[in-house]
Amino acid sequence: MRPCLLGGRRYVPHSYSPMTTFLLLLAVVAIFNVIIFVHELGHFLAAKWRGLRVDRFQIWFGKPLWKKEINGVQYGLGWIPAGGFVALPQMAPMEAVEGSNRDLEEPLPPVKPLDKIIVAFAGPLFSFLLAVISAFVVMGAGKPKDTVESTVIGWVDEAGVASGQLQVGDEILQVNGEPVNGFAGSAHFDSVQESVMLSEGELIEFLVRRNGEEVRVTTDFNIPETRWWERKGMRTVGIWVENQVIAKSILKGGPADRAGLQAGDEIVSANGEELRSRRRLTDIVSNSENKEVALVVLRGEQLVELGVTPLKPTNAERDPMIGVEFETGDEFTQTIYHPGPLEQIGDSVRMMWVTVAKIVSPKSDVGIQHLSGPVGIGGVMFDLLSMEGGWRRVLFFMVLFNVNLAILNMLPFPILDGGHIVLATVEMVAGKFNALFSRILEVVQFAFFFLLLGLFLFITSKDIGDRVSMGGGREPVQYEWPE
């Protein structure tokens, strides 16, 4: 089996036409099949080179939805989208997983352990080579880099664990003694947000610059509640970086429209408080139902004072609102840079190492459920393709994914390529396995296959749960006004 496990991330859902959605999904499926095909092609070509009998070459598991025999090899597409295989009767017995091989007219000659090792190693090697080729393409085409370079706090949740400890205007220098690289989006997991999410222990220590002096602050952390079908929340302390509050569009007939707010206005203060974050304005509005909020907006080069009264929509159960869509993303800096292949491979290995280390650490709140299976990975690719410069983003994802695929398949577990290499090495030292051991080995591999399949189903249920919870767009809110 070819595991598809990566650190999970959430993305904002988009709305597309049915044709655009179909084409994006088709692209995702095509990319998946290319990745699996290249991996299995490594096994196939190595087996042909070393003279092994190739019975079947199938992408995905399960009963074939399509199959065709060419030159004695049955090519097929299974119905379980979780990997692929090349059926090699002379390797370790896999019939319990891959299905019975076709009847042979005469027994096949034994295969040297070295040949088995070469064939097993060829799959991860081809995945790694695909990662290297993709890395060279990324180096030439460029990779979008979305980062929040500032570490100055613009919002502190008044009900959060950092309230009274961290302050608006604090510049975060370190988290738990480690320097931070921006507020979010670091490729090395060393931004403020990721340092908090992946922190260990009972408390989180911040080193901040406040009024020109360095101050150490220790806070607790909070894990947001999620529903049973969703992944467990990640650690947070209730802060965000400073950003502008600029109106993008105004709902016609809403509170902001009636107050005279215009698209392009920058709200600089609310109730006399300087605003350094959109989230702070949301807090003020949510707690001011039917109470006028005094705003000062920058319109062109002039300051304009307005009074707006937040109301709850009449067609939805939501907090009080003023009917404004704000410009977002100004805190992010997007650049195109051209990292070398070694840097890309190194970043991919580092990301995988950090993910696995946090999963096995008893002090971390990261668990197996935070990995992504085929559905989650496909969803990430769909979202990446949907973003500006999506093809560049997917190219680097190919590097990351194939490095993960190569390393995971080299783990010394049954069914995986690393397991075949271990067995072949034992056979090289101890001699050929007898029939009883081969039968026991087949049962062990069958059991491990179902354990791995159970893991896939569990992770996939979380992938689907998160996607369902993210949902689509909401209908426009409506308000009723007294005559």
Side-chain angles (χ1 to χ4, degrees):
M1 174 171 276
R2 316 301 172 212
C4 304
L5 305 178
L6 292 171
R9 292 191 180 190
R10 298 192 179 194
Y11 290 82
V12 178
H14 305 275
S15 296
Y16 301 101
S17 67
M19 179 55 68
T20 301
T21 300
F22 173 76
L23 292 176
L24 289 174
L25 289 174
L26 195 64
V28 170
V29 173
I31 293 170
F32 256 130
N33 279 287
V34 167
I35 291 171
I36 297 171
F37 174 78
V38 169
H39 183 98
E40 298 305 329
L41 182 64
H43 294 307
F44 177 82
L45 294 178
K48 287 291 188 180
W49 172 44
R50 306 306 295 181
L52 274 70
R53 160 74 181 248
V54 180
D55 197 57
R56 287 185 293 161
F57 187 152
Q58 182 165 311
I59 303 301
W60 298 356
F61 287 99
K63 187 176 181 180
L65 297 173
W66 169 87
K67 63 181 180 180
K68 185 173 183 177
E69 184 171 329
I70 302 175
N71 296 329
V73 180
Q74 177 184 295
Y75 299 88
L77 178 68
W79 66 274
I80 303 177
F85 64 87
V86 176
L88 303 168
Q90 292 157 293
M91 295 283 283
M94 296 285 288
E95 287 87 351
V97 175
E98 299 170 352
S100 299
N101 294 315
R102 291 170 294 163
D103 294 334
L104 302 176
E105 296 179 357
E106 56 185 29
L108 292 172
V111 178
K112 296 179 180 179
L114 179 60
D115 291 336
K116 294 182 180 181
I117 292 174
I118 291 173
V119 172
F121 180 72
L125 175 62
F126 268 52
S127 291
F128 184 77
L129 291 176
L130 180 57
V132 172
I133 292 172
S134 300
F136 274 102
V137 177
V138 170
M139 182 178 65
K143 171 190 171 186
K145 182 179 181 181
D146 303 299
T147 58
V148 181
E149 296 180 354
S150 172
T151 61
V152 177
I153 299 174
W155 171 79
V156 178
D157 186 356
E158 292 182 341
V161 295
S163 180
Q165 304 295 324
L166 295 173
Q167 300 177 11
V168 172
D170 284 350
E171 180 185 2
I172 299 177
L173 305 176
Q174 295 181 2
V175 175
N176 286 336
E178 296 295 330
V180 293
N181 179 22
F183 203 94
S186 170
H188 298 155
F189 289 163
D190 58 356
S191 71
V192 172
Q193 186 180 50
E194 289 156 340
S195 296
V196 170
M197 292 169 59
L198 301 176
S199 63
E200 299 182 1
E202 300 299 324
L203 297 172
I204 302 177
E205 183 182 81
F206 295 87
L207 175 64
V208 303
R209 181 177 289 117
R210 179 182 299 167
N211 299 323
E213 297 182 357
E214 293 187 358
V215 180
R216 293 194 179 274
V217 176
T218 301
T219 76
D220 197 353
F221 59 85
N222 179 53
I223 298 179
E225 292 186 5
T226 56
R227 289 162 288 193
W228 64 268
W229 63 83
E230 299 172 327
R231 285 182 170 87
K232 178 183 176 182
M234 302 289 284
R235 291 185 177 190
T236 178
V237 295
I239 58 174
W240 187 245
V241 71
E242 59 183 358
N243 49 45
Q244 293 179 295
V245 189
I246 300 177
K248 179 180 180 181
S249 63
I250 310 296
L251 176 67
K252 187 176 180 180
D257 183 42
R258 292 171 68 95
L261 196 67
Q262 299 178 10
D265 286 348
E266 179 181 357
I267 304 176
V268 296
S269 72
N271 289 339
E273 176 185 338
E274 179 188 4
L275 292 177
R276 301 180 68 168
S277 170
R278 291 181 292 273
R279 300 187 70 166
R280 177 53 185 156
L281 178 61
T282 299
D283 290 343
I284 294 173
V285 168
S286 298
N287 294 317
S288 301
E289 183 180 7
N290 297 321
K291 299 177 183 178
E292 185 176 271
V293 176
L295 301 180
V296 175
V297 305
L298 180 63
R299 182 175 298 166
E301 297 181 356
Q302 295 183 332
L303 292 176
V304 180
E305 296 183 1
L306 301 172
V308 61
T309 303
L311 295 174
K312 283 188 176 182
T314 57
N315 65 331
E317 288 293 330
R318 300 174 69 175
D319 290 333
M321 306 170 68
I322 59 175
V324 178
E325 179 185 1
F326 293 101
E327 297 279 2
T328 59
D330 62 273
E331 62 267 47
F332 284 87
T333 301
Q334 184 180 110
T335 57
I336 301 293
Y337 77 117
H338 302 263
L342 289 179
E343 179 183 346
Q344 296 177 57
I345 299 296
D347 286 346
S348 299
V349 173
R350 187 181 298 106
M351 291 172 69
M352 183 178 181
W353 171 256
V354 171
T355 300
V356 173
K358 296 301 179 181
I359 288 174
V360 301
S361 173
K363 297 181 180 180
S364 168
D365 287 301
V366 180
I368 289 178
Q369 62 182 295
H370 292 110
L371 297 173
S372 290
V375 172
I377 296 171
V380 170
M381 285 196 289
F382 181 93
D383 290 325
L384 292 176
L385 285 170
S386 307
M387 300 169 67
E388 182 181 353
W391 64 275
R392 286 190 173 97
R393 300 175 189 276
V394 170
L395 278 174
F396 176 70
F397 191 81
M398 288 277 287
V399 179
L400 175 65
F401 186 90
N402 281 286
V403 168
N404 275 256
L405 192 62
I407 294 176
L408 286 171
N409 270 280
M410 287 301 294
L411 295 177
F413 298 136
I415 293 183
L416 302 183
D417 297 323
H420 286 295
I421 292 174
V422 170
L423 289 173
T425 303
V426 173
E427 182 180 349
M428 185 182 296
V429 175
K432 183 175 175 58
F433 301 132
N434 58 40
L436 176 61
F437 184 85
S438 296
R439 179 56 184 168
I440 293 174
L441 178 61
E442 184 177 0
V443 172
V444 171
Q445 292 187 130
F446 184 68
F448 190 84
F449 169 77
F450 273 95
L451 286 174
L452 204 55
L453 181 60
L455 174 62
F456 268 106
L457 293 175
F458 171 71
I459 293 173
T460 298
S461 71
K462 299 299 181 182
D463 289 336
I464 296 173
D466 283 352
R467 284 275 156 180
V468 170
S469 299
M470 288 164 66
R474 294 176 173 176
E475 62 177 318
V477 297
Q478 299 175 4
Y479 300 93
E480 291 183 0
W481 298 88
E483 296 296 335

